[in-house]
Amino acid sequence: GLRPIVSRDHVLRGFLGNLRKNPPDRAWIEEINGQPAIVATKEGEPYGVTLLEVRDGRIQRLYSVVNPDKLRSILSACHQR
């Protein structure tokens, strides 16, 4: 389920903390469902996607997807580089 994290500082600390603990091999920005997203792979496999909800030029929300089944379908729809 969703577990919202509120405030810029908490979001940033959580996001960077997770990256430090288990960093991806590759990450890039891709458009998915009309939204900018950070796409990551590890050992050539889907690792995570973070969708960015942007309003008025500022990131309002982040949605992270780490479920392997959902990642496969998302990554098959996006154009990997």
Side-chain angles (χ1 to χ4, degrees):
L2 294 177
R3 294 185 319 181
I5 299 171
V6 181
S7 96
R8 187 179 348 191
D9 291 337
H10 287 123
V11 170
L12 183 59
R13 271 189 264 153
F15 191 74
L16 293 177
N18 286 335
L19 285 177
R20 276 190 217 112
K21 288 178 191 173
N22 205 356
D25 295 333
R26 291 184 62 223
W28 64 94
I29 296 176
E30 184 86 35
E31 187 173 302
I32 298 175
N33 293 333
Q35 293 179 279
I38 301 168
V39 179
T41 58
K42 190 163 188 159
E43 298 175 7
E45 294 295 319
Y47 178 67
V49 171
T50 301
L51 296 158
L52 311 173
E53 181 182 308
V54 179
R55 210 174 324 128
D56 298 325
R58 296 183 71 156
I59 297 171
Q60 300 297 313
R61 290 191 172 103
L62 302 175
Y63 298 96
S64 293
V65 179
V66 294
N67 177 309
D69 295 328
K70 290 181 181 180
L71 285 174
R72 276 189 214 88
S73 66
I74 289 172
L75 289 179
S76 67
C78 84
H79 189 50
Q80 290 191 39
R81 298 174 200 188

